[in-house]
C-alpha cells in the first residue's frame, strides 16, 4: 500500500473548516504550521538601505497529512471544495510519495504506522 504525504498551503481563516472536512473523510493525523509565502504574484520587492526585502510574504497555514487508506483524490477534492474562493491566493496542494513512516511507540513501519490501531482509544 502506498503512503502519500499531502501538503496544503492556504489561507489561515480556512483552518477550522479544512480540519473538519478532512476529519469527515477519515484523515487521522495532521501537522499544522503557520508559515509565510508567496506564489505566482511573487511579492513586491522593496529596497531599503541597499538591501532587497519581500514585503508581500503573506501569512498562510500549511497542513501536512500522510495517508494510505484514504484515497489521495478524495483529499484533493475535499480540500479544493473547502478552499476555492476563485480569488488569487487560495493556495496550493503538493503531493509527495513517501518512502516510509515509523510509529515510535510500537515500532510499526509503513502503512501500519499510519493506520488506526483497532480497539485503541485515541489520545485525549
Ligand atoms: N511554487 C511554490 N513553491 C512553494 N510554495 C508555494 C509555491 N507556490 C505557492 N506556494 C505557497 O502557497 C501559498 C499560496 O500560493 P498562491 O495561492 O498565491 O499560489 P499562486 O500560484 O500565486 O496562485 P494564485 O494566482 O491563485 O494566487 C504561497 O503563499 C506559498 O506559501
Ligand atoms: Mg498567488
Amino acid at each position: 500500500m502506498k503512503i502519500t504525504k499531502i501538503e496544503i498551503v492556504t489561507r489561515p481563516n480556512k483552518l477550522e473548516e479544512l480540519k473538519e472536512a478532512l476529519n469527515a473523510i477519515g484523515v487521522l493525523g495532521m501537522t499544522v504550521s503557520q508559515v509565510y509565502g508567496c506564489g505566482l504574484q511573487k511579492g513586491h520587492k522593496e529596497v531599503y538601505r541597499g538591501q532587497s526585502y519581500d514585503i508581500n510574504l503573506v501569512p498562510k497555514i500549511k497542513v501536512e497529512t500522510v495517508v494510505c487508506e484514504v484515497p489521495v483524490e478524495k483529499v484533493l477534492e475535499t480540500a479544493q471544495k473547502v478552499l476555492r474562493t476563485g480569488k488569487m491566493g487560495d493556495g496550493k496542494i503538493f503531493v509527495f510519495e513517501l518512502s516510509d513512516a515509523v510509529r515510535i511507540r510500537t515500532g510499526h513501519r509503513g502503512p501500519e504506522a499510519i493506520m488506526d490501531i483497532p480497539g485503541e482509544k485515541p489520545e485525549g
Side-chain angles (χ1 to χ4, degrees):
M1 200 184 284
K2 272 211 290 193
I3 319 172
T4 308
K5 178 171 132 170
I6 301 165
E7 188 177 295
I8 304 166
V9 184
T10 192
R11 304 180 200 277
N13 66 4
K14 290 284 192 174
L15 179 59
E16 279 312 308
E17 202 184 332
L18 180 62
K19 261 168 43 185
E20 277 167 32
L22 291 177
N23 243 279
I25 60 165
V27 168
L28 297 172
M30 65 179 72
T31 303
V32 180
S33 330
Q34 293 177 284
V35 296
Y36 291 90
C38 61
L40 212 56
Q41 288 74 30
K42 289 199 170 67
H44 307 293
K45 289 264 200 297
E46 186 156 301
V47 177
Y48 177 70
R49 295 190 171 170
Q51 177 118 26
S52 170
Y53 291 90
D54 275 336
I55 58 165
N56 202 25
L57 278 174
V58 261
K60 297 281 175 183
I61 48 141
K62 182 169 76 175
V63 174
E64 293 161 89
T65 184
V66 174
V67 298
C68 61
E69 288 177 299
V70 178
V72 173
E73 280 308 320
K74 196 156 184 191
V75 176
L76 301 186
E77 266 171 38
T78 301
Q80 289 179 87
K81 201 186 287 173
V82 170
L83 302 175
R84 181 176 293 139
T85 68
K87 298 203 182 94
M88 287 183 291
D90 277 352
K92 284 258 167 74
I93 307 175
F94 303 109
V95 181
F96 307 76
E97 231 175 83
L98 212 68
S99 57
D100 206 354
V102 180
R103 178 181 285 120
I104 295 172
R105 174 170 63 88
T106 56
H108 284 138
R109 297 292 292 265
E112 289 207 295
I114 308 304
M115 290 188 293
D116 227 351
I117 302 176
E120 261 194 8
K121 288 206 180 90
E123 194 181 327

